[in-house]
Amino acid sequence: MIILIAGASHTGKTVLAQRMLEKYQYPYLSIDHLKMGLIRSGNTDLTPQDDDKLTGYLWPIVREMIKTAIENRQNLIVEGCYVPFDWRKDFDDRYLSSIRFVCLAMTENYIDDHFDEIKKHASDIESRLNEDDCFIDNLKTDNRFYIEGFRHAGEQVALIDSEYERVIRGLLEK
């Protein structure tokens, strides 16, 4: 089984991946780690700020890693924001039947009501080096982008609207 976790920054993708690792004992791959490895090794001229270009660069690699894991009958959790909205077009039914997709996003009301808490928990699993660019309007824009994009592609979005932990627990129970 592959569990593919996508969504906006600061929504808890890494927290969910960590909890799934603990529950299912599946390893997980952070697309951010792959990104930084490729950038730091000089295998790309892209930078961490090149979000639009990074999806196109990283997804073909991640896609083929997912296919390999499925072919090898290995379980894997893959999490990150570099998953295209139309990701399903890259897999036929024999692969899709082995992929569980989760998109995490926060509503604007949740961001308004919990912004300080969101920032406080930003480094719960990973130490974020720079949070200077985490602004409420950016979070709203980013979340709206993922909600609209994945919904337009026909995907379900796990909306965090009131109780963060309830949403995460619900995803772990599926």
Side-chain angles (χ1 to χ4, degrees):
M1 174 60 66
I2 304 299
I3 302 172
L4 180 59
I5 305 169
S9 180
H10 291 82
T11 55
K13 295 179 301 294
T14 307
V15 168
L16 179 59
Q18 179 67 36
R19 290 191 188 171
M20 286 182 164
L21 174 147
E22 293 165 3
K23 178 178 181 173
Y24 302 120
Q25 302 295 302
Y26 295 178
Y28 79 81
L29 166 73
S30 165
I31 301 174
D32 278 342
H33 290 175
L34 176 62
K35 168 189 78 176
M36 291 310 299
L38 290 165
I39 290 171
R40 287 181 171 178
S41 67
N43 282 294
T44 181
D45 293 328
L46 297 173
T47 70
Q49 288 71 42
D50 292 323
D51 278 340
D52 293 339
K53 294 176 185 172
L54 282 164
T55 299
Y57 180 72
L58 294 168
W59 179 245
I61 298 166
V62 172
R63 175 192 69 216
E64 297 308 314
M65 292 172 73
I66 290 170
K67 288 179 180 178
T68 301
I70 291 169
E71 291 162 358
N72 291 341
R73 294 188 178 104
Q74 294 174 296
N75 299 313
L76 182 64
I77 301 163
V78 179
E79 65 89 9
C81 58
Y82 302 106
V83 177
F85 301 134
D86 62 349
W87 67 272
R88 286 184 188 270
K89 73 172 178 39
D90 294 326
F91 299 97
D92 61 32
D93 288 341
R94 70 185 164 134
Y95 293 109
L96 287 172
S97 65
S98 297
I99 300 173
R100 175 183 170 202
F101 177 74
V102 175
C103 177
L104 285 176
M106 297 174 176
T107 65
E108 291 191 14
N109 287 338
Y110 184 85
I111 294 168
D112 283 334
D113 294 343
H114 297 90
F115 182 68
D116 291 336
E117 190 177 343
I118 292 166
K119 285 188 74 164
K120 184 177 102 179
H121 289 285
S123 293
D124 281 357
I125 301 294
E126 59 188 339
S127 219
R128 294 181 186 251
L129 299 178
N130 184 1
E131 283 295 294
D132 295 339
D133 62 347
C134 183
F135 299 105
I136 196 165
D137 289 338
N138 293 358
L139 280 180
K140 287 179 180 182
T141 300
D142 198 23
N143 278 270
R144 194 169 36 252
F145 174 75
Y146 281 89
I147 292 167
E148 291 171 3
F150 279 114
R151 281 188 172 165
H152 185 262
E155 299 292 348
Q156 295 287 319
V157 176
L159 278 181
I160 301 163
D161 189 32
S162 59
E163 294 181 45
Y164 175 83
E165 281 300 324
R166 184 179 51 79
V167 172
I168 297 301
R169 278 193 310 273
L171 292 168
L172 286 169
E173 292 170 4
K174 290 185 177 185

